[in-house]
């Protein structure tokens, strides 16, 4: 059976990142040279290590060959410690020799101007033509501690312990920062990669490889910009059910480009990235510290997919317990009440007057502490248990206190503590040996539950039935879209609009008014007027013919290429106004946004985005993520909103974008919603 | 000169927390007893230590006396390791013997029911009558490492190093948690106190004492509820200019009680606490981790008071630099552009193609790094400098890189780094020895600048001229307030209202309509209708007498004790609608709230609160803190808002509450604001 180029690429990536043999090209005995540092860093390498140098026979004790072609075997990895301008030739030789991949130390490529970009393009071409893989250029490299493979040159990286967390970072500096933070937590890494310019090997490639890597139990992902978002999304949808992925997205203060619709303004590019990652089942965090902590938790434990998890807290000290409960509540994690049965049983184990709700405040832990943890863990409302106690080895052995509950129920029990100096190290190590996560400080303990819950909920949402992606219909829309035509298109997608009539002149308008139910709204219908209200082209609450005449007079004064053309429409019932729109993102493809309507919501950018196709649970998550979500539930004198009707409109907007690739933007603003239905009061369609 | 009781209380608090002599009452040789543990914890005490026991002559090598009265001298501190029911008698004896203060180990007081509360009240009475001070009860105690005074019994507290951070925590558990976190940062404490039930010694007492304590350079404050907020506010206003205070307030997920006005709903009690602390010059953070980090920064350095500081970042790695810039921008910290001169000079020190803006990305630090830091520090737009570089001792000595810039400019330069294991410890210690703050990881480095800026801005705001607090006028308002009377009161405080007429019947209404400028709004004016709009009692945009008749008909249908009574008012020009209101908080006194008007803003609780009296800079900070602040600057087709007019209204509301203690709540909803003025369209006054 023939091996396809794609298969070769996959195999070669594994060879590059898990090499059994390495050649350092440009090896040197001069310790100031990169070729020397590369060899030194690889002193712990467990496989075959050889050197390439035109003249030397041996460097630092390793056999040296005059060229890549002369290597006695096709090594898995060639590290190119040679100037940029020689790298293209070396890569071509490596491909010919059957080498798996190359890693380039020197800079001077895409990041450094036109000449460098040319070199980088040539390297990428060699890779795509031959199946050779290239990491970087412009990266600090990678570390695979199990293989003793240290292709990175910052001091200490050779001492990163092997473990089960993979780091995949767009930036080399962040890759190392995360690896160091993970080491500080007492955890180890399976692989740490900085992708740099990503001329060949991308985030997607590494994620796909890690999905099958048995040493990797969780993936810590760092992203700056995302070039092919849709591919990343599709990959993550496949990877996250197998391996938890925690992501940190740079660019928090990103400024949005101007867009025709409000929809465009509502979506920051980072918001799209974060939303897509969550939709694909990843957990998104805000700091490197959270990223390393979250990955360390999820590498040990996941909760099964569930729409919402109940978390219990047992604390030996009330004050820190309150802070933990604060963190959980602010993050929307539920702390359900314990059952009466649980409370009664715990009551027999604690002194009277002790606070037995959730949190359970035991006071300073006593001998019954392990039983209390077991009782709480057995409560059916509880999916995960947090235990906090200041370090008092003579009073509480955390392993003995927690392990029975884990053994009994299989539920995750996470310990949080604080103490002096290194006093806690033994207990922390003992916990980790039993695969029990342990966190330092109240809010970090809360973070453990927040992350377990977020992962479980994301996986639940990902598993919900999703309509198949829409397929382009073949029919191609063209020409200008005014409101009337836009609404007609939306109606074919099942979106309700008010009864209306498009009138070319005053006579038609009067006739239409007699047919429609009063009151009506009269709107200018001219393809050259984008912002009808701002132009004074919308008259509300027209109840009789005299009002109608006045309205038509007023609109007639607006200069336009289509004078006298108006849309007369029955006024909709009161309701809550939303914006539901979609844009075709260059990286992420069709994206749907839902926001609260009106100028205030726009000023707040209170909106949620998801990639199409949407499931109903996606829309539920979007509505639940709006800061002003209270408005949907019958706030003050507003009606309760029909969430199903909103979901249908949003799903339809996604399908419209998928079936008509010629549409750049579509927007319903407002979608007016009450208890019974949702109706599009205005619509905008923009073709690409 | 006679010593007043108040002076005695102050002196005795210093004796209690900085004792030169201690007696342990209930001393014991049985290691399971509190009286034994107390003596053991004090093994490092530098002063005189003695024991009280009815029968023993010596315990653990210390001289033992039969009773407090028999003590050879009035010790500064008596630790009562005796059952709760004996504590009252012991406290009375301690007061008689001239002892400074007592600390009670046992529980069983206010936290444990009616009997305990009685004992606690008796203790409090002894204190207030005699000047004896009492810490607790129901607390883990306090630690004063310089005095070797460890009045706390969790293992390891005796090893907390002496330093310059004071911890003042409402909860004993949080006191210890914070102390341990501070120790982990390599810092030490001057005093760590858990206040517990605070029967006598309160947060305010300790803060006042610490303001004069030369060993304390920063105060880490933890609060749960605040009983006498106004006193805490007044104290902090005096303390924070002398010592930086960082505060953590529990109760983030606090649920607000129902209130008559929207104003009441807009203010959570935690929001009031946080706002008051900030207004009094404190820096408020969200986690114990941030609290310990922030205190450690401010203990070393403060920025002078300034309305806004410029922060520069110099980074050896681009990726972490981007994350630092993200954190700064999300927190509203300014990173101004460097001057052309600075950029040009730096350009000569770095390879071409290097990114020299702010942040300055040097690439891996080279020999010119210290010069670059100096150049950036000399830039007049820059008040504080952050430097991030992964730990590479052979490439960068942080002290040598940073110290010259500090010496040259006096500006704070903060180093952030990450590396393997304990490799960085030497560099971190060396930095601290030079009083240079050092942070682990990108976001923590950003936190340093965020905290320095927040402290500086809070101090700037505190120093702004403030109107003197209003004095009650003596005149007492009484009776019911309808809209018309409420507006009349507001007008006496300089707040504009629309031209209007209160009409008792239809004839008066028609006459008034003829006098006013059309269009007008017709509103029901009945003291028994609180929510006029919801009752259908407001008709807008009445333009002619026929409309007026219809409006009066409609309002006449609403059942009320004052049928036919209406307020007719000229319609105001378009503008942005705000809510400006005030309540008399039981703890904080007169509090003013500003929010965006409308149901959406209410759903979002988008509001800011401050204690009266307000300065103009307080109002500026309130408006700048609204999430929807964009709306004030001419967003979309809304007019720009006159911020001075808003400030005048808000300041007046504060003054009204101060001058009329009989007013419980006042609210302008909406205050309509445009470029020229602000006008109160509706008003509510509720008497207590």
């Amino acid at each position: 059976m023939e091996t396809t180029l794609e298969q070769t690429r996959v195999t070669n990536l594994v060879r590059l990142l898990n090499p059994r043999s390495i050649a350092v090209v440009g090896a040197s005995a001069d310790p100031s040279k990169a070729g020397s540092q590369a060899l030194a860093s690889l002193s712990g390498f467990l496989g075959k290590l050889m050197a390439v140098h035109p003249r030397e026979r041996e460097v630092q004790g390793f056999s040296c060959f005059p060229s890549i072609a002369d290597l006695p075997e096709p090594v898995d990895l060639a590290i190119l410690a040679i100037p940029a301008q020689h790298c293209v030739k070396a890569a071509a030789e490596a491909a010919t020799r059957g080498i798996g991949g190359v890693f380039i130390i020197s800079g001077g490529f895409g990041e450094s101007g036109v000449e460098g970009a040319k070199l980088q393009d040539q390297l990428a071409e060699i890779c795509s033509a031959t199946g050779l893989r290239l990491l970087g250029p412009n990266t600090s490299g990678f570390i695979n501690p199990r293989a003793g493979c240290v292709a990175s040159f910052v001091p200490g990286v050779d001492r990163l312990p092997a473990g089960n967390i993979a780091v995949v970072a767009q930036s080399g500096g962040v890759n190392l920062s995360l690896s160091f933070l993970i080491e500080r937590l007492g955890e180890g890494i399976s692989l740490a990669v900085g992708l740099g310019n990503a001329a060949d090997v991308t985030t997607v490639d590494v994620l796909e490889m890690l999905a099958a890597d048995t040493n990797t139990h969780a993936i810590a992902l760092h992203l700056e910009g995302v070039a092919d978002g849709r591919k990343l999304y599709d990959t993550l949808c496949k990877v996250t059910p197998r391996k938890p992925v925690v992501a940190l997205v740079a660019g928090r203060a990103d400024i949005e480009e101007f867009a025709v619709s409000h929809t465009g303004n509502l979506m920051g590019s980072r918001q799209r990235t974060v939303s897509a990652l969550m939709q694909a089942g990843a957990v998104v965090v805000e700091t490197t510290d959270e990223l390393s902590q979250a990955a360390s938790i999820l590498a040990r434990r996941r909760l099964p997919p569930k729409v919402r998890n109940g978390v219990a807290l047992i604390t030996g000290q009330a004050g820190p317990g309150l802070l933990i409960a604060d963190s959980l509540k602010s993050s929307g994690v539920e702390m359900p009440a314990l059952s009466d049965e649980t409370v009664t049983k715990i009551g027999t184990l604690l002194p009277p007057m002790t606070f037995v709700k959730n949190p359970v405040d035991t006071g300073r832990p006593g001998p019954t502490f392990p039983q209390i943890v077991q009782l709480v863990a057995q409560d059916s409302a509880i999916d995960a248990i947090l235990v906090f106690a200041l370090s008092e080895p003579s009073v509480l052995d955390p392993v003995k206190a927690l392990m029975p509950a884990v053994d009994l129920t299989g539920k995750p029990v996470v310990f949080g503590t604080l103490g002096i100096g290194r006093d806690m190290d033994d207990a922390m190590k003992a916990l980790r040996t039993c695969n029990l996560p342990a966190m330092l400080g109240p809010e970090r303990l809360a973070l453990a539950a927040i992350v377990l819950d977020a992962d479980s909920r994301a996986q639940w949402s990902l598993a919900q039935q999703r309509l198949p992606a829409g397929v382009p219909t073949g029919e191609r829309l063209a020409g200008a879209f005014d409101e009337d035509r836009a609404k007609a298109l939306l109606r074919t997608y099942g979106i309700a609009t008010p009864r209306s009539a498009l009138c070319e002149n005053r006579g038609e308008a009067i006739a239409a008014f007699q047919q429609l139910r009063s009151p009506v709204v009269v709107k200018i219908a001219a393809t050259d007027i984008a912002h009808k209200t701002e132009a004074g082209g919308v008259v509300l609450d027209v109840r009789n013919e005299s009002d109608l005449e006045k309205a038509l007079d007023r609109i007639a004064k607006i200069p336009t290429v289509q004078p006298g053309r108006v849309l007369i429409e029955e006024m909709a019932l009161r309701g809550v106004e939303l914006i539901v729109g979609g844009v075709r993102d260059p990286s992420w493809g069709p994206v749907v946004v839902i926001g609260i309507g009106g100028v205030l919501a726009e000023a707040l950018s209170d909106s949620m985005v998801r990639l199409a196709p949407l499931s109903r649970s996606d829309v539920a998550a979007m509505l639940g993520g709006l800061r002003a979500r209270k408005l949907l539930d019958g706030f003050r004198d507003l009606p309760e909103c029909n969430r199903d009707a909103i979901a249908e409109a949003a799903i339809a907007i996604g399908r419209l974008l998928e079936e008509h690739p010629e549409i750049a933007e579509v927007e319903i603003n407002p979608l007016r919603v009450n208890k019974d239905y949702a109706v599009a009061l205005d619509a905008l369609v923009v073709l690409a």
Side-chain angles (χ1 to χ4, degrees), chain A:
Chain A
M1 216 175 81
E2 219 181 327
T3 311
T4 65
L5 181 61
E6 190 47 40
Q7 285 166 339
T8 305
R9 285 172 55 81
V10 170
T11 313
N12 279 346
L13 181 62
V14 176
R15 293 174 65 197
L16 164 58
L17 296 174
N18 302 276
R20 281 162 306 183
S21 51
I22 302 179
V24 174
V25 181
S28 167
D30 174 353
S32 75
K33 293 276 172 68
S36 162
Q37 290 166 13
L39 275 174
S41 299
L42 289 164
S43 60
F45 181 54
L46 301 174
K48 276 193 218 167
L49 187 57
M50 49 199 88
V52 172
H53 190 282
R55 289 172 305 276
E56 305 290 338
R57 282 291 188 80
E58 200 189 278
V59 178
Q60 293 185 29
F62 297 102
S63 305
C64 198
F65 303 89
S67 77
I68 291 173
D70 295 318
L71 285 170
E73 62 176 278
V75 291
D76 288 332
L77 167 62
I79 297 179
L80 306 187
I82 52 179
Q85 67 271 22
H86 299 153
C87 283
V88 175
K89 184 161 165 282
E93 285 175 15
T96 307
R97 187 67 189 89
I99 284 171
V102 297
F103 160 52
I104 294 175
I105 296 178
S106 65
F109 294 92
E111 80 286 359
S112 74
V114 179
E115 285 306 311
K118 261 190 214 161
L119 291 178
Q120 186 171 321
D121 288 346
Q122 288 168 11
L123 288 169
E125 269 165 44
I126 292 167
C127 290
S128 65
T130 63
L132 177 79
R133 303 314 300 266
L134 161 67
L135 181 68
N138 191 27
T139 166
S140 63
F142 73 97
I143 305 112
N144 182 333
R146 265 189 195 77
C149 175
V150 181
S152 188
F153 313 101
V154 164
V157 287
D158 52 323
R159 279 176 285 148
L160 284 172
N164 302 112
I165 302 172
V167 178
V168 184
Q170 200 146 336
S171 140
V174 174
N175 177 43
L176 296 177
S177 296
L178 290 170
S179 300
F180 291 140
L181 284 168
I182 288 166
E183 186 268 343
R184 288 188 78 80
L185 295 175
E187 304 281 351
I189 58 171
S190 57
L191 180 71
V193 192
L195 293 167
N197 292 2
D200 174 52
V201 174
T202 64
T203 304
V204 163
D205 294 330
V206 180
L207 287 173
E208 278 174 348
M209 188 195 85
L210 291 172
D213 176 38
T214 50
N215 288 323
T216 298
H217 297 175
I219 299 167
L221 178 63
H222 162 259
L223 295 171
E224 285 174 355
V226 179
D228 188 350
R230 186 56 71 151
K231 197 165 171 191
L232 176 61
Y233 171 78
D234 291 339
T235 303
L236 282 171
C237 285
K238 281 179 247 147
V239 172
T240 63
R242 301 177 65 186
K243 302 279 164 77
V245 175
V246 191
L248 172 66
V249 183
R252 264 195 277 168
D254 105 62
I255 289 148
E256 190 51 23
E257 74 282 12
F258 183 73
V260 177
S261 66
H262 290 183
T263 298
N265 279 318
L266 286 176
M267 285 193 273
S269 63
R270 179 173 184 274
Q271 189 194 11
R272 291 176 214 187
T273 305
V274 168
S275 300
L277 295 176
M278 289 169 65
Q279 197 177 354
V283 174
V284 180
V285 294
E286 296 292 325
T287 66
T288 51
D289 205 47
E290 285 177 1
L291 184 55
S292 52
Q293 301 265 355
S296 83
I297 289 291
L298 291 173
R300 297 188 179 280
R301 273 302 305 237
R302 299 182 89 171
L303 280 171
K306 197 171 173 190
V307 64
R308 201 169 285 278
N309 295 283
V311 173
L313 169 62
I314 303 159
T315 184
Q317 286 81 25
L322 196 54
L323 297 176
I324 295 163
D326 264 2
S327 290
L328 293 176
K329 285 180 193 167
S330 318
S331 301
V333 174
E334 304 224 328
M335 296 183 69
L338 301 174
S339 74
D340 291 346
E341 195 194 334
T342 309
V343 172
T344 309
K345 283 187 182 163
I346 294 175
T348 65
L349 300 174
L350 284 176
M353 306 297 303
T354 313
F355 186 81
V356 181
K357 281 194 183 168
N358 187 5
V360 178
D361 177 10
T362 65
R364 199 176 176 186
T368 62
F369 200 83
Q371 288 166 267
I372 295 168
V373 178
Q374 284 175 64
L375 284 171
V376 171
Q378 285 174 282
D379 193 301
S380 64
I382 300 305
D383 298 291
I385 301 92
L386 303 181
V387 178
F388 185 87
L390 291 174
S391 169
E392 296 191 76
S394 65
V395 175
L396 185 77
D397 174 339
V399 171
K400 284 189 189 151
L402 273 56
M403 208 61 212
V406 177
D407 288 341
L408 187 68
T409 65
K411 295 178 186 174
V413 185
V414 187
F415 187 65
T417 190
L418 276 171
I420 191 92
R422 307 284 132 217
D423 279 15
M424 297 159 299
D425 284 3
D426 286 349
M428 298 293 269
K429 241 181 238 168
L431 286 163
R432 280 191 211 106
T433 306
C434 303
N435 208 29
L436 291 173
M439 316 294 283
L440 280 181
E443 295 87 359
R444 290 187 179 187
L445 177 60
L447 180 69
I450 293 165
V451 162
L452 285 166
D453 180 53
D455 176 60
S456 157
R457 291 169 72 165
Q459 287 306 310
W460 179 85
S461 181
L462 186 63
Q464 297 312 295
Q465 205 177 4
R466 214 163 280 262
L467 291 172
V471 175
T473 58
E475 183 208 358
R476 285 292 156 265
L477 304 166
F481 269 80
D482 62 8
E483 178 183 350
D484 189 55
R485 190 178 170 208
K487 282 180 170 167
L489 178 62
L490 292 183
R491 281 194 296 274
T492 67
Y493 277 79
I495 295 169
T497 60
R499 274 222 303 162
S500 68
L502 182 66
C503 310
E504 299 294 338
N505 54 48
R506 193 166 287 243
E508 285 185 26
I510 292 166
F513 180 77
Q514 291 161 349
Q515 295 295 317
L516 294 170
R517 196 193 63 231
S518 165
V520 298
V521 53
V522 182
K523 304 186 203 176
I524 192 165
T527 46
D528 57 333
I529 306 283
H531 299 288
K532 295 184 285 284
T533 304
E534 283 84 342
V538 178
V539 183
L540 296 170
D541 210 21
V542 171
R543 293 173 178 272
N544 52 49
E545 287 192 24
S546 125
D547 283 357
L548 177 66
E549 295 278 1
K550 277 184 223 160
L552 294 171
D553 290 346
R554 190 170 138 193
I555 290 171
K557 284 181 196 143
I558 301 166
T560 158
V561 295
Q562 293 166 299
R565 198 160 180 262
V566 294
L567 184 68
I568 301 195
E569 204 166 67
E570 291 180 355
M571 295 273 288
L573 292 178
R574 282 190 70 242
V576 177
E577 299 201 337
L578 303 183
I579 297 179
V580 177
V583 298
R584 192 172 306 283
D585 184 277
S587 174
W588 298 102
V591 175
V592 178
V593 62
I594 301 181
I596 302 286
V599 72
L600 174 57
E602 195 194 348
L604 289 166
S605 302
D606 187 15
S607 68
M608 294 289 287
V609 298
R610 287 289 185 280
L611 310 197
L614 299 177
S615 70
R616 279 181 181 266
S617 70
D618 286 331
V619 181
M622 292 170 86
L623 296 177
L626 291 173
R627 288 202 293 256
R629 58 186 169 272
K630 272 190 204 169
L631 286 185
L632 306 177
D633 302 322
F635 188 73
R636 298 284 166 205
D637 57 343
L638 291 171
E640 197 187 325
C641 289
N642 186 324
R643 291 178 180 232
D644 285 337
I646 302 170
E648 276 157 28
I651 291 168
I653 289 288
R655 197 158 56 84
L656 174 60
L657 283 171
E658 290 187 297
E659 294 182 357
H660 288 284
E662 70 278 16
I663 296 181
E665 284 188 45
V666 52
E667 178 177 280
I668 305 172
N669 183 11
L671 181 76
R672 188 173 285 175
V673 190
N674 63 23
K675 199 166 65 65
D676 302 312
Y677 55 81
V679 56
L681 299 193
D682 198 356
L684 176 75
V685 170
V686 180
L687 299 186

